[in-house]
Amino acid sequence: MNTIKLGKSSMDVPRIAVGCMRMNGLSVSEADQFIHGAMDKGLNFFDHADIYGGGDAERIFGKVLEMHPGMREKMILQSKAGIVPGVMYNNSKEYLLNAVDGILERLQTEYLDVFLIHRPDPLVEPEEVAEAFHALKASGKVRYFGVSNHRPMQMELLSSCLQEDLIVDQLQFSITNSNMVRSGMEVNMETEGACDRDGSVLDYCRCKNITIQTWSPFQYGMFEGPFLGNPKFAELNAVLDRIAEKYGVSSTTIAAAWILRHPAKMQILSGSMKLSRQEEICQADAVILTREEWYEIYLSAGHILP
C-alpha cells in the first residue's frame, strides 16, 4: 500500500486508516480477528476517540492489545478528546491531560502516536493547550498532535502558543459533502456552493503541510446515511458504477479513489468493521482517476461548474 508523510512528522502512514468508532459493536474475539485482518492488508493506522461507544471502543481494542504483546509497536494509534457529549466542549489543560490518561488506560498502551483535539472549544485558552501538549510530549505519552473539525484561524490561534506542530486536521469530506472544493470553485458567486463554511481550510492545510483526514467518506449530510446505492443519488451512483466497471472494482473503491485523487494527499478514515469493505477501500490506492472522471463524478453529485 502507498504511504504518505503525516504532516510534518517523520511517520510514513497508509493512505487508508481504520476509524474505530463502531468497534464497541464487536466482541473481543471479533475485534481481534478484524484488527489482525486489517493489518494483514497493510492497515496499521487506527483512529479512536474517548467518546466512541462511551469509551468501550477503546476498551475492546485494548483487550486485543493485551492478548498480543508486541502488536502495539507494529501499529499507529491515534485518539481524540475534548467533547463532553451533550454538555460542552472542553479543551482545558486539566481536561486534556486527564483525557489522555484515560485513553491510555483503556487502550492499554503507554503512548499515543497522535492525539487530536476533537472539537474547537470557544472558551479555549491556547496557553493551556500548549502547556498540556508540552507535558504530554515531555512525559512520552504523545508523540504528535493535531486537531479535528478546526478552521484555519482556530489552528493559528493554537499554534501561536504551541511548541509542537499541528500535523493533522480531521474533517468531514466525501463526494457529496465537498464544500472544501466547492467553495474554491464557486468563488465570488451567489450560488450555494460559494459559501465558505470552513475558512478555506483545504488550501490552508496544504500551505501548512497539515494532513487532512477525511471522516464519513461515504456519507451524505450529517450522518444521514451512505450515498452509495442510495436512490437519492441515482445519477452519482450510475456514474460510479460505470467507472467502477471500467477499472474492474466496486463503486466503493471509486468513491475512495475520488478522494485520493486530490493532490492534497488526504488520508481516508474508514469506519467499516467489515474486512471485505476495507479491502474494497484499499483497492482505491491503485486506481488513479483521470481528471475528466474526477469532474464527472463531482458533477453527478449535483455540484456545478460556474
Side-chain angles (χ1 to χ4, degrees):
M1 177 177 291
N2 292 328
T3 61
I4 55 172
K5 194 75 73 176
L6 200 64
K8 299 176 183 177
S9 76
S10 59
M11 289 189 296
D12 288 320
V13 301
R15 297 292 304 276
I16 315 297
V18 179
C20 297
M21 185 177 188
R22 301 179 181 89
M23 186 156 285
N24 60 300
L26 304 181
S27 66
V28 174
S29 176
E30 290 169 336
D32 184 18
Q33 183 179 7
F34 173 81
I35 292 168
H36 275 89
M39 294 185 70
D40 287 343
K41 299 179 187 303
L43 299 172
N44 69 338
F45 192 109
F46 297 91
D47 171 72
H48 292 269
D50 60 348
I51 63 169
Y52 290 169
D56 285 342
E58 290 178 334
R59 289 189 187 92
I60 291 171
F61 197 99
K63 289 178 181 179
V64 174
L65 289 184
E66 184 182 27
M67 293 163 53
H68 303 284
M71 176 186 278
R72 168 66 181 94
E73 300 308 313
K74 299 177 182 178
M75 59 176 56
I76 300 169
L77 291 185
Q78 172 178 283
S79 194
K80 305 178 289 291
I83 297 177
V84 184
V87 178
M88 62 180 169
Y89 299 147
N90 191 340
N91 294 346
S92 68
K93 175 182 177 180
E94 181 181 10
Y95 186 88
L96 295 177
L97 292 176
N98 289 335
V100 170
D101 285 341
I103 290 168
L104 297 179
E105 181 180 359
R106 289 188 293 274
L107 288 175
Q108 300 199 38
T109 183
E110 295 181 353
Y111 69 97
L112 288 175
D113 293 285
V114 189
F115 173 65
L116 311 182
I117 293 179
H118 206 159
R119 284 278 179 180
D121 175 7
L123 301 182
V124 66
E125 297 285 354
E127 297 84 358
E128 284 196 27
V129 175
E131 290 174 5
F133 281 11
H134 181 71
L136 292 168
K137 179 92 171 189
S139 65
K141 293 180 180 179
V142 177
R143 296 178 62 198
Y144 298 101
F145 299 89
V147 294
S148 177
N149 307 299
H150 277 58
R151 294 164 60 94
M153 289 309 296
Q154 291 168 330
M155 287 184 274
E156 281 288 308
L157 178 63
L158 293 178
S159 296
S160 68
C161 296
L162 293 176
Q163 298 180 34
E164 299 79 14
D165 292 322
L166 296 175
I167 67 168
V168 164
D169 192 6
Q170 197 172 111
L171 298 161
Q172 185 178 25
F173 187 66
S174 69
I175 299 169
T176 54
N177 287 36
S178 54
N179 186 253
M180 284 196 291
V181 295
R182 287 179 69 193
S183 61
M185 286 194 280
E186 298 179 39
V187 172
N188 199 35
M189 304 290 292
E190 295 185 3
T191 55
E192 171 66 18
C195 298
D196 184 359
R197 294 180 170 87
D198 51 43
S200 298
V201 69
L202 173 59
D203 295 330
Y204 176 87
C205 287
R206 294 183 72 182
C207 288
K208 296 291 186 178
N209 197 17
I210 296 171
T211 299
I212 292 176
Q213 296 176 335
T214 67
W215 58 267
S216 290
F218 309 106
Q219 300 276 325
Y220 73 96
M222 188 66 175
F223 303 113
E224 291 183 47
F227 57 79
L228 292 170
N230 190 325
K232 290 183 178 180
F233 301 95
E235 182 180 354
L236 170 60
N237 279 282
V239 171
L240 289 173
D241 289 344
R242 174 168 48 78
I243 296 175
E245 184 176 4
K246 170 189 169 182
Y247 286 96
V249 295
S250 71
S251 58
T252 296
T253 302
I254 298 302
W258 185 86
I259 295 174
L260 297 183
R261 177 64 175 81
H262 195 281
K265 297 182 179 178
M266 302 177 193
Q267 185 185 40
I268 293 177
L269 287 181
S270 167
S272 177
M273 294 289 102
K274 295 182 179 180
L275 287 174
S276 58
R277 177 84 160 177
Q278 292 288 357
E279 176 65 31
E280 291 180 354
I281 299 168
C282 287
Q283 290 173 4
D285 208 27
V287 175
I288 302 178
L289 298 174
T290 67
R291 183 179 294 267
E292 290 78 11
E293 288 167 341
W294 190 92
Y295 273 96
E296 183 181 9
I297 291 169
Y298 175 80
L299 294 172
S300 70
H303 307 312
I304 66 168
L305 289 182

